[in-house]
Amino acid sequence: MSHYDTVVIGAGNAGLMAATRLQREGLKTLLVERHNVPGGCATSFVRGDFEFEVALHQLSGVGTESEPFIMRRVFEELGVLDQIELVQEEELYRIIMPGKLDVTLPADWIELQIHLKTLFPNEKEAIDTFFKLSEAVVNEYYFVLPRVRLSNDEEKIRTKCPNFSAYGLRTTTDVLNEFFSTEDLINVITPYWSYVGIPTSELVFAEFIGMLYFYCVHKPWHLKGGSQMLSTALLSSFEKAGGEVRFNCAAEKILTKEGVVRGVILETGETVTCDAVVSNVSPLITYHEMLDLETPPPSILKDFKSRRMGVSAVCLYLGLDCSPEELGFKTASTFVMTTSNADVTENRMYTLDAPDWGMVTCYNFIDEELAPKGKSVVTLVALQYGEAWNQVPAEEYFATKYEFGAKLITLIEKAYPKIREHIEKAEVATPMTMMRYLNTPGGAIYGFKQILQDGHLLRDSLDEIEGLYSSSSWTSMGGFQPTYLNGYFTARKVMKQLRRKTKPTVSV
């Protein structure tokens, strides 16, 4: 029977990061993955002449070579920075409301303010005040609050984080309406809500403004060749450090004894023993299906009962027989909306009605090698919950998903009217695809709903079983940077625990 210090279940973003860090720190680690490639969402697939990026739209937290931020430092530490090629976007995004506005925003905090004041001169003073406040909220929320919270002193939090205390936990809509009276200005700066799947009427301001600020200051990035390149680089680093990976090999059961992790049964029937398990699988599946207990611990059940399922998506992958310039692309990322931000709710996301918001990413606008010269790779995305798709009869599913794809094209045609006539290849992924491929309840792409109550401020980590760690979008904010960092910091927790257990006791 083989023994490992750690077994990591699932080679998605968090699993790969955790496994790589653990192995490079000297812990004997086994990584098991039920698919035949690493990456989860961070993968690509080929259809004909086209290579399609599965999920990455913009990678945050990288920073520039001269001013590196956390992701660049982590990639360097894990030995993958020189194995990937990062491509910087000069713009945040283009936002189009057909017949109403067409605005492209620069990926620079100062230039953004200047541009907005040029577009909306009547809001100049409000823009200055808002951006000054926003910078203060971001600084307090991300850099001051984590330290101050350790004191459990509410008065100290209010004193050290006055701007966060006053604005950070209010809804984004509420804060924006306090500062701005121009609806179009609000429409222009709010599209990033879709990166966490919560309309601004629910999304807390600190989370929203953090996304906008960090994309401006540390820039939006892509990975040349797609996110699969980073997944492959992490796996290579893991194996070079001596790690063992098994593909096409799912974990069936997590074994415990007296509340402590002891091992894992693989789908091959083999049992491996270990001192810790990092699960990159949804905690719902980890605790309800994989753990060898009749029922999860009461505290875990209580936690799950208070959660809400996060949003999924319909993704339409298009290979086009013309160049991005012929279609009118001026940026890699475009948001198309037919309704004001103030009217965006989740109601449509629970139906198969035509979407009123859509995201468009033209990948070879900045990475020409993803399609042959003169052709384009484009992904269209509409956020959807899985419930409506669960009700589609099996015999109608194929037709239904392409009907919805056609509705999504109709929306995007309002911004890029030639797109339909140039389609050469098309693939549609629905919440059912996400459910099957990612093994996520409801096909959720961000885990639990990313509301304040599910954030790190108000939730304790799931630590009821000694040696069992959950590491995925289900235990952090969703998105690429948060899940990469979740895996990275989960590895640190594992190392601290195991080294504490092996530290020799001193006799007195």
Side-chain angles (χ1 to χ4, degrees):
M1 185 181 296
S2 301
H3 179 82
Y4 300 87
D5 295 316
T6 56
V7 174
V8 178
I9 301 172
N13 289 349
L16 277 171
M17 289 291 274
T20 303
R21 188 179 187 191
L22 288 166
Q23 185 64 44
R24 287 173 64 89
E25 290 285 344
L27 295 182
K28 184 181 179 183
T29 302
L30 171 66
L31 174 62
V32 294
E33 168 57 50
R34 67 194 188 104
H35 290 299
N36 63 345
V37 293
C41 283
T43 54
S44 61
F45 63 94
V46 175
R47 295 291 185 273
D49 288 338
F50 307 96
E51 183 169 0
F52 295 103
E53 163 66 41
V54 168
L56 178 62
H57 297 283
Q58 294 176 317
L59 180 60
S60 57
V62 174
T64 62
E65 288 188 23
S66 59
E67 296 185 43
F69 198 48
I70 187 167
M71 293 310 303
R72 189 180 289 269
R73 294 196 289 265
V74 166
F75 293 156
E76 184 172 24
E77 177 189 328
L78 297 184
V80 300
L81 185 59
D82 61 349
Q83 304 301 311
I84 58 176
E85 184 175 345
L86 293 160
V87 184
Q88 182 183 334
E89 288 187 56
E90 299 299 327
E91 298 83 22
L92 292 178
Y93 52 77
R94 180 184 183 187
I95 180 165
I96 298 174
M97 293 185 71
K100 189 173 184 181
L101 61 84
D102 184 343
V103 174
T104 299
L105 297 186
D108 184 273
W109 189 243
I110 301 301
E111 290 181 13
L112 175 60
Q113 297 173 59
I114 294 171
H115 189 55
L116 291 176
K117 285 187 283 189
T118 300
L119 294 173
F120 306 100
N122 60 313
E123 297 272 23
K124 280 186 178 181
E125 291 185 8
I127 290 170
D128 284 334
T129 305
F130 173 79
F131 274 79
K132 184 177 180 179
L133 167 77
S134 296
E135 193 165 354
V137 169
V138 169
N139 182 63
E140 292 171 6
Y141 181 47
Y142 288 96
F143 302 109
V144 181
L145 184 62
R147 298 193 301 271
V148 177
R149 283 184 66 227
L150 298 176
S151 68
N152 290 318
D153 185 335
E154 292 186 10
E155 182 56 35
K156 188 174 182 180
I157 292 174
R158 284 192 292 269
T159 301
K160 296 290 186 180
C161 305
N163 298 287
F164 170 78
S165 297
Y167 289 94
L169 300 183
R170 290 167 57 183
T171 70
T172 301
T173 293
D174 187 30
V175 175
L176 293 174
N177 286 339
E178 177 178 323
F179 282 89
F180 303 128
S181 58
T182 306
E183 184 179 68
D184 281 352
L185 172 55
I186 294 175
N187 289 333
V188 164
I189 64 175
T190 47
Y192 276 151
W193 68 263
S194 53
Y195 277 12
V196 291
I198 303 179
T200 58
S201 57
E202 293 186 67
L203 180 61
V204 294
F205 179 67
E207 294 289 354
F208 165 77
I209 201 60
M211 285 189 289
L212 185 62
Y213 177 83
F214 287 123
Y215 273 122
C216 282
V217 173
H218 302 297
K219 314 306 178 187
W221 294 83
H222 275 285
L223 291 153
K224 193 169 183 62
S227 58
Q228 181 73 67
M229 303 301 289
L230 177 54
S231 300
T232 300
L234 284 167
L235 179 66
S236 176
S237 178
F238 170 72
E239 291 185 301
K240 285 179 181 178
E244 180 182 344
V245 60
R246 300 190 195 181
F247 290 110
N248 300 305
C249 181
E252 293 285 350
K253 281 293 176 185
I254 299 170
L255 304 176
T256 62
K257 184 177 181 180
E258 298 178 352
V260 180
V261 162
R262 294 302 183 204
V264 175
I265 299 177
L266 306 177
E267 68 174 355
T268 59
E270 179 186 357
T271 297
V272 298
T273 60
C274 60
D275 299 312
V277 168
V278 176
S279 178
N280 193 196
V281 183
S282 163
L284 295 171
I285 294 175
T286 300
Y287 281 89
H288 282 294
E289 300 179 18
M290 300 179 70
L291 196 60
D292 68 343
L293 302 178
E294 289 187 10
T295 58
S299 61
I300 299 293
L301 290 175
K302 182 179 179 182
D303 181 278
F304 289 168
K305 287 179 180 178
S306 62
R307 304 269 192 173
R308 290 181 60 188
M309 194 66 68
V311 73
S312 187
V314 171
C315 300
L316 178 56
Y317 304 97
L318 298 178
L320 306 174
D321 65 3
C322 63
S323 69
E325 291 74 19
E326 288 178 80
L327 288 169
F329 279 96
K330 301 176 182 178
T331 61
S333 301
T334 308
F335 295 90
V336 182
M337 51 191 284
T338 58
T339 185
S340 172
N341 180 75
D343 298 322
V344 173
T345 69
E346 291 186 317
N347 294 339
R348 187 213 52 79
M349 300 179 202
Y350 286 97
T351 74
L352 299 181
D353 294 343
D356 48 20
W357 269 78
M359 295 177 278
V360 189
T361 305
C362 182
Y363 288 96
N364 64 312
F365 183 81
I366 56 172
D367 185 358
E368 295 179 352
E369 295 179 8
L370 290 178
K373 187 174 180 60
K375 296 188 178 184
S376 304
V377 174
V378 174
T379 300
L380 317 182
V381 180
L383 297 176
Q384 291 270 286
Y385 281 91
E387 283 86 339
W389 290 91
N390 271 323
Q391 297 171 17
V392 176
E395 65 273 14
E396 298 176 14
Y397 172 74
F398 187 83
T400 301
K401 75 174 187 176
Y402 279 99
E403 286 171 7
F404 191 91
K407 295 176 184 177
L408 186 50
I409 293 173
T410 298
L411 170 66
I412 303 306
E413 277 182 313
K414 298 179 185 299
Y416 299 105
K418 298 179 181 179
I419 195 166
R420 191 187 300 264
E421 64 192 70
H422 288 285
I423 296 174
E424 184 175 316
K425 290 286 182 181
E427 291 282 350
V428 182
T430 73
M432 304 302 289
T433 313
M434 313 300 179
M435 191 183 308
R436 182 180 67 255
Y437 179 73
L438 300 176
N439 195 29
T440 60
I445 56 176
Y446 300 128
F448 292 116
K449 189 175 181 183
Q450 308 283 287
I451 54 178
L452 173 64
Q453 291 82 350
D454 281 334
H456 63 281
L457 287 179
L458 301 180
R459 290 281 185 181
D460 294 326
S461 57
L462 305 175
D463 293 332
E464 290 301 307
I465 305 296
E466 183 179 333
L468 177 58
Y469 302 84
S470 287
S471 182
S472 67
S473 61
W474 296 80
T475 52
S476 70
M477 290 298 288
F480 274 66
Q481 179 193 345
T483 50
Y484 281 133
L485 292 180
N486 186 281
Y488 179 82
F489 289 119
T490 298
R492 183 173 67 180
K493 290 177 63 177
V494 175
M495 291 186 291
K496 287 178 66 175
Q497 181 204 358
L498 294 188
R499 288 168 180 168
R500 188 183 304 120
K501 288 175 66 175
T502 58
K503 186 177 180 181
T505 57
V506 179
S507 300
V508 180

